[in-house]
Amino acid sequence: MKLEIGRIYIKDIQLGQETSVKEGVLTVDKEGLIAKLKEDERIKDVSLDVAKPGEKVRIIPVKDVIEPRVKIEGGNNGFPGVTSKQAQCGEGKTNVLYGAAVVTVGDVVGFQEGVIDMWGEGAKWTPFSKTYNLTVDISVVDGLTPHAHEETVRIAGLKAAEFVGLAGKDVTPDEVITYEMGSIFEETAKYPNLPKVLYAEMMITQGLLHDTYIYGVNAQTILPALLHPNEELDNAVISGNCVAACDKITTYQHQNNSVIEDLYAQHGKEINFLGCIMVPEHTTLAGKLRVSDYVLKLAKMLGADAVVISEEGYGNPDSDLLMICKKCEKAGIITQLITDECAGRDGMSQPLADTAQEAVAVVSGGNVSHVVTLPPADKIIGNAAAIAVLAGGWDGALLEDGTLMCELNAVIGSTSEIGFHNVTCRLY
Amino acid sequence: MKSIIITNNPAVREKYRNVLFIDGSVEDTLIKVRDMVYQGYELVSHPLAASIRMMYSPYRSVILGRQEAKVDFLYAEIIEDSIIKYKRHTSHRKKDVTNSDDYQMIDLILLEAALSEQQITW
Amino acid sequence: MSDKYKVLYYVNQFFGQVGGEDKAGMAPEYRGEKIGPALGFEGLLNKNGEVVGTIICGDNYFNENKEKALDFILGTIKDIAPDVFVAGPAFNAGRYGVACGEISKAVAEKLNIPVVTGMYMENPGLDICKEVAYVVRTSDSAGGMRKALPIMAQIADKLAKGIEVGPPEEEGYIPRGMRKTIFVEKRGSQRAVEMLLARLKGQPFTTEMPMPVFDIVEPAPAIKDLSKATIALCTSGGIVPEGNPDHIQSASAQKWGKYDIAGRDALNAPDFYTTHGGYDPVYANEIPDRVAPLDILREFEKEGYIGKVYDFFYTTTGTGTSVSKAKEFGTQIGAELKAAGVDGVILTST
Amino acid sequence: MVKEIERYGIPIVHMATITTISESVGANRIVPTVAIPHPVGNPQLNADDEHALRKALVKKALDGLATEISQPTHFE
């Protein structure tokens, strides 16, 4: 499978009358996009805005972040199985508006969180302060069920990314990155002496606001599935997960999965990268046991020497992570875990309550309870009232001047468990 | 289905029959689950949700299965760890009452997702 | 003068140049001068800070009159209001270390004044204060003074000026057990791949989330002949004689109890009950033997399956009891059992 | 407590319900017990059955003390 990602560097973003990229400036046809999104009768209103790195702007509550892209060759444009007809992802050519992002905003339920600060202290904690963001705030018609509401917002974000992405159709990319890998047999024949490494990517798949989709299939219903890494890098995986702000994998992070990129970089040099197993995280223990057995079985069938396991979320998925780790290590397959931790506000607690001796190699994305102080913004995109929710119901969290104290768990992408960000914890 | 739902969520009590309703906090609910696990009940669903935000929910529902003669130590370990984690996240927070209805609804929806998994073997 | 920050120093009778073991009973005193290590310490602060005085207390006095000593010491410190408090270093001296540890903890927690001290890794005072004070890693004897003081001074200087103290390995203190959230140069996925490659090649790597390390004790050899063995019964289930004569706490136990059971066939209600605050006591209070099965052991004794049940029964409560306390209990109880020639122990927990 | 007593060379058997904790405190000989409020008993059984259960548990513990082991071992 061969995928060429053409990066068109975006240096600015503005709303206008047409959708285009000129000299790195992305212009979005405001009315055109609103009209396009309103084709969905469930949408009452759409409000578009832009947020640029360095501006004193706060976006809240963020639902998802999506990279705008356009398919140039092979497959279908958009998100196959969702916004377009089923097609094979991961082949051909795709242009991306590199440095731009569509950020969907809006409440499905009242306790939603997820903040992106574009400047200062808050900007350090989220990777999405460095992207030029087109914010899409969706309000829906009355009487929608929560499921329909969530779906409306999710699809609107994807459609917006598709609409904006078209601007890159006829633009020559600034940089082209090729992701190419033959069959497992071919690659193993090429690199017979390199250790075979799998990537097991855990996904939250537990119901409303806690879902992930592959080609539009709700991953709650699947057994762990083998994906070619190119498929995920090419729009096959979508986030429907809007409550684990700090450690969820947004659609953008699926499209640019950092573990896949960094494993790819070593493919043929230090390792033989076999592919990705998409691992659903179930609510039931039976589901967790089944999934961990299944991952081990796939790893064995593929002859893996090592598995990189990344978690999504916090709480019950910790059990899945350690189950997979234990089973693999006992079977002689090396594991490398990526997770985040709760060491308490003061950092004095033991990070993992459930410990496993087998978990010897762990990367930490940081302490989800670390408190950050965010100064007041000049402008708030989204729902200013959500800030009180985000502060999280403890004294002194929201000061009168608008200064906000919150735990990292409210900041989008801050403690990424696919290692997308550069935060960690160290013993002091 | 031979399961019992241990819950402090009124919306769950209204909708299901096989409910042991706890008139109390999430912590009370988890402690009841722990006690029952030590009496041999099978832990069908994990006591915690998958996101920190749901850790702040004032409602929680956990599914237990049959009572066996022997305590399953995997279940015991999971419920003990869950209580520790739960306390760590919530000890310094106030209950979010303004969004009670939404929390009830999401807890119910997540419970139903769990109930729809593998009903027959329970 | 006034622009210098204030340091207050604590030493024991020996380093305070009062005397040796014969003076270990001295009550705490405050001297408005630099004594012992305090003298050299000021010189290491590069004229930025001043040691305003020294508190001296006998090691035995402190350990035997902890509350009184702490009262005086905290009162003195409060009056002087130093910017930094420095104690020791205590090296591997146990009583001195415990005194430094207790004082450091109290000063940091109650007065909110930053504290620097120094100890050898195995000093029992370390666990008391390492989470709240900066404890510089020293050698086991006073010979390490020359090395320890500059490190302590450098940390004290930073604390006084409000400069962030760096990671333990750079600054020379013993990790406080705090997980600090920091930014690093490389993103997580890259660190993960590098860690994995190191592991695959058999090279050393450092996990970012170390699992707790337990010190492991080799299993003691088995009892050769049960029928000749003396078995002792212990419990952390809080079973105590009626009235709880030793006032064993229902949680976070500070002590254990030892009761003569020589003439007893069982731990019957109401002579015994549980004081444990961590579980539903109904079943244990009905039949305390459900927690500590003396009755069954007696049966085995009568049948000759075991030689004898040891005449004393040991008890405490496990819930909320700190690891260091549990360790202390185990050490004390173990010593008694060893001396009594007990061959094996049954410890029950709830 | 377990570890410190065993350090004196006296074999010790830990009868505990939460065996994971038991392992983490360093017990080498472990007998899993019935439930937290009644580790060595079961009030749901009739007197005879409970006695038999209790006797069996204690016997396991005693036999554990008489068994040579080289690593943490559960006697079930």
Side-chain angles (χ1 to χ4, degrees):
Chain A
M1 210 175 236
K2 182 179 175 185
L3 173 69
E4 289 177 51
I5 297 272
R7 289 177 170 175
I8 300 161
Y9 297 153
I10 299 301
K11 301 177 199 85
D12 198 7
I13 184 169
Q14 60 191 38
L15 296 172
Q17 327 253 287
E18 53 160 26
T19 300
S20 65
V21 178
K22 283 180 190 137
E23 319 259 299
V25 178
L26 170 63
T27 305
V28 177
D29 173 4
K30 190 176 174 187
E31 295 311 320
L33 176 53
I34 291 174
K36 169 85 185 160
L37 296 180
K38 279 194 167 175
E39 285 172 7
D40 185 338
E41 288 156 359
R42 299 173 296 184
I43 293 179
K44 187 169 74 185
D45 225 344
V46 179
S47 162
L48 301 180
D49 210 332
V50 295
K52 304 175 192 179
E55 288 182 335
K56 283 183 86 174
V57 175
R58 173 166 296 153
I59 314 172
I60 180 174
V62 173
K63 296 270 82 61
D64 197 12
V65 185
I66 308 136
E67 184 169 63
R69 301 170 151 207
V70 61
K71 197 78 197 172
I72 304 294
E73 204 183 287
N76 276 345
N77 192 33
F79 296 85
V82 186
T83 64
S84 59
K85 289 213 170 90
Q86 171 59 32
Q88 181 62 55
C89 294
E91 286 175 326
K93 292 181 181 170
T94 302
N95 278 1
V96 309
L97 305 186
Y98 189 71
V102 169
V103 176
T104 47
V105 185
D107 289 312
V108 176
V109 291
F111 52 79
Q112 296 217 277
E113 60 184 341
V115 69
I116 295 174
D117 269 7
M118 299 302 291
W119 88 107
E121 175 69 16
K124 291 196 301 193
W125 295 103
T126 173
F128 300 110
S129 60
K130 287 142 205 96
T131 44
Y132 287 86
N133 296 331
L134 171 72
T135 62
V136 182
D137 191 347
I138 307 284
S139 42
V140 297
V141 296
D142 293 340
L144 278 192
T145 65
H147 282 103
H149 187 167
E150 186 277 327
E151 185 186 86
T152 306
V153 175
R154 172 161 38 90
I155 302 294
L158 301 175
K159 280 188 182 162
E162 188 181 331
F163 181 92
V164 174
L166 284 171
K169 197 168 187 332
D170 300 316
V171 179
T172 310
D174 296 288
E175 178 191 11
V176 176
I177 300 170
T178 305
Y179 298 95
E180 188 174 11
M181 214 185 267
S183 78
I184 287 174
F185 301 102
E186 289 163 356
E187 297 298 308
T188 306
K190 252 199 269 179
Y191 311 112
N193 298 319
L194 292 180
K196 297 193 276 298
V197 179
L198 259 181
Y199 172 34
E201 181 180 359
M202 295 168 54
M203 313 163 285
I204 298 186
T205 53
Q206 305 197 341
L208 184 63
L209 308 178
H210 296 77
D211 285 322
T212 308
Y213 301 84
I214 304 173
Y215 290 105
V217 173
N218 185 338
Q220 197 179 344
T221 61
I222 68 165
L223 286 167
L226 185 64
L227 246 65
H228 192 289
N230 287 8
E231 296 181 85
E232 181 165 359
L233 297 178
D234 197 28
N235 286 7
V237 187
I238 288 159
S239 169
N241 185 350
C242 3
V243 273
C246 64
D247 52 19
K248 72 173 177 182
I249 310 168
T250 60
T251 301
Y252 188 102
Q253 287 163 300
H254 285 298
Q255 294 168 307
N256 294 278
N257 188 307
S258 49
V259 178
I260 293 179
E261 284 181 356
D262 291 339
L263 285 173
Y264 240 125
Q266 296 300 331
H267 179 66
K269 295 178 189 153
E270 299 275 2
I271 59 166
N272 178 6
F273 181 20
L274 298 174
C276 308
I277 305 175
M278 304 305 290
V279 186
E281 296 170 355
H282 291 295
T283 316
T284 60
L285 297 186
K288 291 177 186 303
L289 291 165
R290 182 176 67 239
V291 156
S292 48
D293 284 342
Y294 208 98
V295 169
L296 173 62
K297 181 210 68 184
L298 283 176
K300 281 182 176 169
M301 282 179 73
L302 296 168
D305 299 300
V307 186
V308 178
I309 312 163
S310 67
E311 188 182 353
E312 184 177 21
Y314 180 91
N316 76 50
D318 304 352
S319 292
D320 306 59
L321 178 72
L322 291 177
M323 273 183 203
I324 300 170
C325 164
K326 281 184 199 171
K327 286 179 184 176
C328 287
E329 291 278 347
K330 277 191 183 138
I333 297 170
I334 281 177
T335 60
Q336 170 67 50
L337 313 188
I338 313 176
T339 180
D340 55 7
E341 59 186 283
C342 176
R345 288 231 167 144
D346 52 6
M348 296 306 285
S349 301
Q350 186 69 47
L352 280 175
D354 17 20
T355 51
Q357 285 172 322
E358 291 85 355
V360 292
V362 186
V363 160
S364 167
N367 177 7
V368 298
S369 290
H370 179 77
V371 175
V372 289
T373 305
L374 308 177
D378 287 348
K379 173 178 163 187
I380 289 169
I381 296 176
N383 177 5
I387 290 174
V389 172
L390 177 128
W394 45 286
D395 292 324
L398 183 58
L399 308 182
E400 266 177 36
D401 70 349
T403 297
L404 170 71
M405 284 171 74
C406 67
E407 292 178 11
L408 274 189
N409 62 54
V411 181
I412 293 283
S414 56
T415 64
S416 168
E417 293 173 288
I418 60 163
F420 197 80
H421 204 28
N422 57 345
V423 175
T424 188
C425 275
R426 201 164 280 167
L427 191 65
Y428 265 62
Chain B
M1 195 161 54
K2 294 174 187 64
S3 59
I4 317 168
I5 303 163
I6 316 300
T7 185
N8 68 339
N9 182 352
V12 172
R13 178 177 55 179
E14 239 166 70
K15 195 160 171 190
Y16 290 92
R17 280 193 182 175
N18 51 330
V19 164
L20 177 60
F21 185 75
I22 306 293
D23 191 7
S25 65
V26 171
E27 199 176 322
D28 296 334
T29 308
L30 295 182
I31 285 171
K32 183 67 194 175
V33 170
R34 182 193 67 186
D35 290 350
M36 291 180 71
V37 164
Y38 282 125
Q39 286 161 20
Y41 284 90
E42 193 187 356
L43 188 60
V44 171
S45 68
H46 197 287
L48 299 177
S51 61
I52 292 168
R53 189 40 69 165
M54 287 309 288
M55 198 85 84
Y56 302 143
S57 166
Y59 302 100
R60 186 75 195 138
S61 307
V62 181
I63 311 167
L64 294 180
R66 292 190 191 90
Q67 186 174 17
E68 306 283 349
K70 211 163 165 284
V71 179
D72 187 306
F73 295 106
L74 173 67
Y75 302 151
E77 192 179 344
I78 286 175
I79 179 65
E80 291 286 349
D81 283 342
S82 298
I83 292 173
I84 293 171
K85 270 187 208 172
Y86 179 77
K87 285 186 179 166
R88 187 176 294 170
H89 283 278
T90 52
S91 54
H92 51 273
R93 295 179 89 99
K94 293 180 204 143
K95 219 164 132 177
D96 180 355
V97 280
T98 43
N99 295 299
S100 273
D101 290 352
D102 285 345
Y103 276 120
Q104 282 188 21
M105 173 186 77
I106 296 294
D107 178 65
L108 175 64
I109 289 172
L110 294 179
L111 171 74
E112 290 184 328
L115 286 170
S116 67
E117 273 182 48
Q118 280 214 325
Q119 300 183 28
I120 298 158
T121 52
W122 290 354
Chain C
M1 277 305 268
S2 59
D3 56 347
K4 287 187 183 175
Y5 58 79
K6 286 196 287 184
V7 177
L8 187 60
Y9 216 98
Y10 174 87
V11 289
N12 69 354
Q13 78 284 350
F14 178 74
F15 288 99
Q17 295 165 3
V18 177
E21 199 55 36
D22 53 321
K23 300 287 182 193
M26 76 171 275
E29 284 171 20
Y30 173 71
R31 312 256 183 97
E33 55 188 315
K34 297 171 262 292
I35 299 168
L39 204 60
F41 194 82
E42 186 176 279
L44 295 164
L45 297 174
N46 298 323
K47 302 204 166 95
N48 292 318
E50 178 195 7
V51 177
V52 293
T54 311
I55 297 174
I56 308 169
C57 179
D59 284 335
N60 287 351
Y61 183 90
F62 184 89
N63 284 286
E64 285 157 17
N65 307 278
K66 201 176 112 185
E67 275 176 34
K68 250 164 88 181
L70 270 179
D71 269 357
F72 173 84
I73 293 167
L74 287 181
T76 307
I77 300 170
K78 213 170 169 179
D79 289 344
I80 294 167
D83 298 293
V84 187
F85 180 75
V86 181
F91 306 103
N92 200 25
R95 284 168 303 162
Y96 187 22
V98 169
C100 287
E102 295 279 2
I103 296 166
S104 297
K105 181 173 191 263
V107 171
E109 286 180 348
K110 294 192 176 144
L111 304 181
N112 218 3
I113 294 170
V115 179
V116 185
T117 180
M119 291 183 199
Y120 180 61
M121 271 307 280
E122 289 174 16
N123 194 311
L126 177 64
D127 279 345
I128 300 172
C129 69
K130 72 165 186 209
E131 291 188 357
V132 289
Y134 288 91
V135 185
V136 166
R137 187 192 297 263
T138 72
S139 65
D140 59 352
S141 74
M145 184 70 87
R146 203 181 282 268
K147 232 179 123 191
L149 281 186
I151 303 171
M152 288 169 64
Q154 196 184 332
I155 296 175
D157 189 58
K158 285 192 173 173
L159 289 171
K161 291 177 182 161
I163 300 171
E164 196 169 332
V165 179
E169 55 277 17
E170 276 173 32
E171 302 271 2
Y173 63 93
I174 297 167
R176 311 169 80 194
M178 182 174 79
R179 303 283 299 163
K180 191 167 175 175
T181 301
I182 56 167
F183 288 96
V184 285
E185 194 193 325
K186 291 173 182 164
R187 67 181 181 181
S189 51
Q190 197 182 344
R191 304 199 306 274
V193 171
E194 286 174 7
M195 199 184 294
L196 175 69
L197 292 182
R199 208 178 159 200
L200 282 169
K201 290 178 188 163
Q203 293 166 350
F205 62 94
T206 312
T207 178
E208 295 178 2
M209 211 188 277
M211 293 293 149
V213 194
F214 299 110
D215 104 272
I216 295 162
V217 177
E218 288 290 307
I223 297 172
K224 297 264 163 353
D225 185 354
L226 274 179
S227 67
K228 295 198 176 77
T230 301
I231 306 293
L233 179 61
C234 300
T235 187
S236 63
I239 302 294
V240 293
E242 198 221 336
N244 191 8
D246 293 313
H247 308 290
I248 293 171
Q249 290 84 350
S250 64
S252 308
Q254 298 297 315
K255 54 178 127 181
W256 46 272
K258 169 190 181 184
Y259 304 105
D260 190 348
I261 47 169
R264 288 192 166 272
D265 281 338
L267 301 175
N268 310 91
D271 295 357
F272 286 85
Y273 70 99
T274 181
T275 178
H276 198 288
Y279 63 90
D280 180 352
V282 173
Y283 310 109
N285 287 341
E286 216 169 73
I287 305 175
D289 283 306
R290 279 179 179 146
V291 174
L294 177 63
D295 57 341
I296 304 285
L297 280 175
R298 285 290 183 219
E299 288 176 25
F300 281 118
E301 185 183 49
K302 278 190 193 117
E303 291 164 15
Y305 196 72
I306 57 172
K308 182 178 161 39
V309 179
Y310 181 55
D311 288 345
F312 291 90
F313 148 71
Y314 291 83
T315 182
T316 186
T317 45
T319 190
T321 300
S322 67
V323 175
S324 59
K325 273 287 166 206
K327 225 171 155 172
E328 186 186 314
F329 296 172
T331 308
Q332 294 162 347
I333 295 171
E336 291 202 4
L337 296 176
K338 181 77 188 168
V342 165
D343 299 300
V345 180
I346 292 182
L347 170 71
T348 66
S349 289
T350 48
Chain D
M1 251 165 90
V2 188
K3 261 191 317 205
E4 311 312 319
I5 292 173
E6 189 139 39
R7 258 189 239 283
Y8 290 97
I10 309 171
I12 179 165
V13 58
H14 194 202
M15 301 183 75
T17 309
I18 313 169
T19 51
T20 47
I21 294 183
S22 188
E23 277 171 31
S24 70
V25 299
N28 286 316
R29 293 177 169 89
I30 298 164
V31 173
T33 52
V34 182
I36 287 185
H38 43 80
V40 196
N42 189 347
Q44 280 164 3
L45 302 177
N46 65 41
D48 283 351
D49 287 352
E50 186 178 15
H51 181 264
L53 168 82
R54 301 180 60 235
K55 190 136 184 183
L57 276 171
V58 175
K59 185 164 185 299
K60 272 181 211 162
L62 291 170
D63 292 345
L65 289 175
T67 307
E68 290 294 354
I69 56 165
S70 57
Q71 58 182 24
T73 306
H74 286 218
F75 297 96
E76 294 193 48

